Amino acid sequence: MSDYIGPIWWFIVAIGVLVTCHEFGHYWVAKRCGVKVLRFSVGFGKPLWMRRNKDGTEFAIAAIPLGGYVKMLDEREFDVAPSELHRAFNRQSPLRRIAIAAAGPIANIVLCVFFLWGAYVVGLKEYAPVVGAADGIASEAGIRKGDQILRIGDRTIQTWTDVRFALALAGLDRARVPVQVRDADGDTETRTLDLSKLPDGFDELQAPTLVGLTARYQLEPPIVNDIVAGSPAYGVLAEDDRILAIDGQPVSDYADIAPRVQALAARGGPGMIEVLREDDRGEPRRLAFPLTPRMDIDEATGKRVARIGVIHKSSGQMPAFDAVRRYGPIDAIPVAFVETWHKARDTIGFMGRMLTGNASTKYVSGPITTARAASATAELGLAWFLNFLAVLSISLAILNLLPIPLLDGGHLLYYLIELVKGSPLSERTMAAGQYVGLALLVGLMGLALFNDVFFH
């Protein structure tokens, strides 16, 4: 039961905060424009709680926490007393109606900046953009293990998440993208990744893996979990040994073992394998043992390979974060604005590519995926949850600005047309637009729910 309560609770918290802020943007600007607000509701359906202020505005929390609305005085919906006609929304100038419609998305953009500021002041733990292994396209470009990625194209890289999104967008465009790196010696170089070599229909967010990049945090430690009976390591090494070096060559992760063993076998003789092992008192001791690899036939490739017989099993747990983005309250302000721009640009970039068919629509997420993400980030700590709210807030702002009737962007389109032509659109045209907008939104919601069930 707790597996469901957590996601539901954090989903309600996230949506509640974002919707309240969005609708407050509409409410605040409407009041400043002299429009009478009849109801400010968080959620849809039957009100669970309601209060009325001196101006007659009802503030409500409704039963279905999947949105909200601000209901304003409007002659198109019901009769308005002559004494209050000047406070009706439809009597306002196009510019005032544009300001009121745009206020909700703008509030979400401001909220994104605020959440990111909070995340960076608290300290957002992440994974450093350091390459753990490189092969394929990345190796051909000259990227090597230990390189720290500084820039991809025109984007500054500070975390491995930045690497994923930058390569995803560049990969969708099949671009040749410059990658600036700092190598293990501290030298800065620029490599060029030829992303035209990516396979057709690739998974966008798997772009780093497909170009041959493995992050340092993804590498498994060189810990011995088991030993094959009768192998060269049997009776020599022990479970929980951490392999430090093979034939004098350092081993920093499990992926280093195979090439070191292969090199030892090619040399044609026994070599020393150095390990870290705890003694009876639990104190770590560095030990060295002579070992000769054995040549076996690899069942997958049919080729002869050198092996010593150690087995490593992944723990299945995420490794500890190895980087943190933390700034003082003042320094975090410009950083939050820059990151808001990056998140907006990434979101718009993916949306645009989805519309042109260059990007998969499987990443259009619905309430189930959102609830899971909310719960997962909340478990990672305050900074991660604030970062999640920032992403959700900017996504909500951009979605609402789409020129689809029933959304704020659709209303903005109507008012801009009215501003240009000097008169409002006919009721028939606006009604037709409402039906089109409803069909588009139902289709979008259906796609999101489908993806929730089958892809996430």
Side-chain angles (χ1 to χ4, degrees):
M1 181 63 71
S2 60
D3 292 339
Y4 297 99
I5 293 176
I8 292 173
W9 164 249
W10 289 114
F11 175 78
I12 293 173
V13 170
I15 295 300
V17 170
L18 299 184
V19 168
T20 300
C21 180
H22 180 95
E23 299 305 332
F24 181 78
H26 291 310
Y27 169 81
W28 189 84
V29 175
K31 296 290 286 185
R32 296 303 176 277
C33 291
V35 176
K36 183 174 181 178
V37 178
L38 303 178
R39 176 175 288 186
F40 181 127
S41 177
V42 177
F44 297 106
K46 183 179 180 181
L48 302 176
W49 174 90
M50 184 182 293
R51 289 289 185 276
R52 189 190 303 266
N53 69 3
K54 295 180 179 179
D55 195 39
T57 301
E58 296 175 343
F59 294 88
I61 298 177
I64 306 174
L66 294 177
Y69 62 92
V70 169
K71 186 175 183 179
M72 290 172 270
L73 192 67
D74 196 313
E75 290 178 281
R76 295 168 298 183
E77 296 185 31
F78 33 71
D79 294 334
V80 177
S83 61
E84 291 197 313
L85 284 176
H86 67 286
R87 301 187 68 186
F89 177 77
N90 63 292
R91 290 292 182 108
Q92 306 305 309
S93 68
L95 286 177
R96 286 193 173 188
R97 281 177 278 146
I98 287 172
I100 294 170
I106 291 173
N108 282 124
I109 294 172
V110 173
L111 194 62
C112 177
V113 175
F114 174 75
F115 282 144
L116 288 173
W117 175 84
Y120 295 139
V121 170
V122 172
L124 182 61
K125 295 180 180 180
E126 250 279 16
Y127 293 112
V130 178
V131 178
D135 53 25
I137 298 172
S139 179
E140 293 172 7
I143 297 177
R144 300 289 179 262
K145 178 179 180 178
D147 285 351
Q148 179 178 348
I149 300 176
L150 305 176
R151 293 183 68 85
I152 296 178
D154 62 352
R155 178 165 178 169
T156 300
I157 301 298
Q158 295 191 319
T159 68
W160 196 260
T161 300
D162 294 339
V163 174
R164 293 175 63 206
F165 280 102
L167 288 181
L169 289 173
L172 290 172
D173 297 332
R174 295 295 195 276
R176 287 177 57 85
V177 61
V179 179
Q180 187 181 72
V181 301
R182 181 185 295 120
D183 62 24
D185 297 325
D187 298 325
T188 301
E189 303 285 347
T190 299
R191 315 295 187 194
T192 301
L193 283 174
D194 186 1
L195 301 182
S196 65
K197 297 180 180 180
L198 285 170
D200 293 334
F202 73 94
D203 187 335
E204 300 93 307
L205 296 185
Q206 295 301 317
T209 301
L210 294 173
V211 302
L213 286 175
T214 300
R216 182 178 63 186
Y217 81 88
Q218 294 172 318
L219 299 176
E220 295 283 353
I223 305 294
V224 177
N225 295 126
D226 201 358
I227 302 169
V228 177
S231 68
Y234 190 73
V236 179
L237 302 185
E239 291 183 20
D240 297 327
D241 279 351
R242 184 184 186 94
I243 299 176
L244 303 176
I246 296 176
D247 200 28
Q249 298 300 310
V251 173
S252 58
D253 55 77
Y254 193 77
D256 286 339
I257 294 177
R260 300 285 188 268
V261 170
Q262 199 69 30
L264 175 58
R267 188 172 64 79
M272 302 300 292
I273 181 168
E274 300 174 51
V275 302
L276 201 65
R277 180 185 299 174
E278 291 185 358
D279 59 20
D280 295 337
R281 295 177 297 176
E283 297 292 333
R285 296 180 58 194
R286 187 172 185 130
L287 305 173
F289 306 98
L291 208 62
T292 302
R294 183 177 68 193
M295 301 303 296
D296 291 332
I297 300 297
D298 188 289
E299 295 179 359
T301 63
K303 296 181 180 179
R304 287 171 55 82
V305 295
R307 290 173 173 157
I308 58 175
V310 298
I311 297 175
H312 173 79
K313 300 175 184 176
S314 175
S315 65
Q317 298 179 345
M318 291 295 292
F321 294 115
D322 57 1
V324 60
R325 297 189 66 182
R326 181 181 286 113
Y327 304 89
I330 302 301
D331 292 338
I333 296 174
V335 177
F337 276 99
V338 170
E339 285 303 308
T340 297
W341 161 246
H342 283 163
K343 293 184 187 303
R345 185 176 66 173
D346 289 344
T347 302
I348 294 171
F350 271 112
M351 284 184 176
R353 289 166 176 82
M354 285 180 189
L355 290 174
T356 59
N358 290 335
S360 172
T361 57
K362 72 179 183 180
Y363 290 112
V364 177
S365 301
I368 298 174
T369 300
T370 302
R372 290 172 179 167
S375 180
T377 53
E379 290 178 1
L380 289 173
L382 176 60
W384 266 90
F385 188 62
L386 290 174
N387 183 69
F388 167 75
L389 290 177
V391 173
L392 202 58
S393 189
I394 197 67
S395 299
L396 181 63
I398 293 170
L399 179 64
N400 268 281
L401 286 172
L402 293 177
I404 299 175
L406 297 182
L407 295 179
D408 293 329
H411 295 304
L412 287 171
L413 179 61
Y414 287 159
Y415 305 148
L416 286 171
I417 293 174
E418 179 182 346
L419 193 63
V420 171
K421 70 190 289 283
S423 62
L425 293 171
S426 67
E427 291 188 8
R428 183 176 179 180
T429 300
M430 294 181 68
Q434 301 283 38
Y435 285 117
V436 171
L438 180 61
L440 289 173
L441 288 179
V442 169
L444 184 61
M445 291 173 62
L447 174 63
L449 289 172
F450 176 85
N451 290 342
D452 274 355
V453 173
F454 292 98
F455 291 115
H456 301 295

